[in-house]
Amino acid sequence: MTYLEPTPESGRRFFASDIQGEVIMLNLLRFREVADYSNAPHAAPSVPITGQQAFDRYISLALPCLQKTGGDLMFLGRSGYFLIGPHDEKWDCVMLVKQKSKEAMLSMTNDADYIASLAHRNAALEDSRLLPIRIDDGHRHRITTAKLAHRP
């Protein structure tokens, strides 16, 4: 089973959650060997490209939309097999995206330029996971305090 889009139920659950303020989105991404533009032929390049190349196109188009709503791309890196986890499960890329708020995220997903960028994301991905992470200010305070206490 693959996962490329939120289900209506998971979307409702996320937007109804008590997450307030900034939210970090952990993305695990697996790319197609060759990007599949069959659902968006208007966006297809003149020659076949890899899923990674299609995802790079998505990032270049989606990032301004994200930043316009107060968000940012915090981390984008290559990945592989788990050190702890299923030995046969491999992800090509890990991405951390900061959203200003759930409302800002919703605003971005309704932006025409962002919607157009999704043709490249959908062509690129074979499978994905998206995990919203609430920023825990209580833990942030404890970590900062612990670092200060251990200074030489």
Side-chain angles (χ1 to χ4, degrees), residues 4-72:
L4 298 174
E5 298 291 331
T7 64
E9 178 186 330
S10 65
R12 279 191 298 275
R13 186 173 53 234
F14 171 69
F15 286 106
S17 73
D18 63 351
I19 295 174
Q20 299 295 315
E22 288 184 348
V23 60
I24 306 300
M25 295 296 202
L26 169 65
N27 293 255
L28 299 178
L29 307 164
R30 186 174 306 127
F31 300 123
R32 298 176 195 272
E33 190 172 317
V34 177
D36 178 5
Y37 282 93
S38 60
N39 290 328
H42 65 281
S46 58
V47 296
I49 61 174
T50 66
Q52 172 72 59
Q53 291 169 318
F55 194 76
D56 290 346
R57 289 177 182 212
Y58 162 70
I59 291 294
S60 68
L61 295 170
L63 187 56
C65 302
L66 175 64
Q67 292 170 331
K68 185 168 54 176
T69 59
D72 205 1

Side-chain angles (χ1 to χ4, degrees), residues 20-24 74 98 133-148:
Q20 299 295 315
E22 288 184 348
V23 60
I24 306 300
M74 298 175 64
K98 178 178 72 172
I133 303 169
R134 177 188 330 219
I135 296 175
D136 186 340
D137 287 323
H139 280 101
R140 186 184 319 187
H141 173 73
R142 287 190 292 262
I143 291 169
T144 303
T145 303
K147 284 180 184 176
L148 292 174

Side-chain angles (χ1 to χ4, degrees), residues 36-147:
D36 178 5
Y37 282 93
S38 60
N39 290 328
H42 65 281
S46 58
V47 296
I49 61 174
T50 66
Q52 172 72 59
Q53 291 169 318
F55 194 76
D56 290 346
R57 289 177 182 212
Y58 162 70
I59 291 294
S60 68
L61 295 170
L63 187 56
C65 302
L66 175 64
Q67 292 170 331
K68 185 168 54 176
T69 59
D72 205 1
L73 178 60
M74 298 175 64
F75 177 83
L76 181 65
R78 294 202 180 270
S79 187
Y81 293 98
F82 284 105
L83 181 59
I84 297 174
H87 71 279
D88 59 344
E89 188 173 309
K90 179 182 180 282
W91 297 98
D92 298 315
C93 183
V94 174
M95 184 169 66
L96 292 173
V97 175
K98 178 178 72 172
Q99 297 281 353
K100 182 178 173 183
S101 65
K102 294 183 302 187
E103 295 76 20
M105 181 180 173
L106 184 59
S107 171
M108 182 188 79
T109 62
N110 290 316
D111 180 285
D113 291 334
Y114 179 74
I115 292 167
S117 76
L118 292 175
H120 301 288
R121 179 187 182 277
N122 295 337
L125 294 179
E126 179 181 300
D127 199 4
S128 68
R129 302 292 185 271
L130 181 60
L131 180 64
I133 303 169
R134 177 188 330 219
I135 296 175
D136 186 340
D137 287 323
H139 280 101
R140 186 184 319 187
H141 173 73
R142 287 190 292 262
I143 291 169
T144 303
T145 303
K147 284 180 184 176

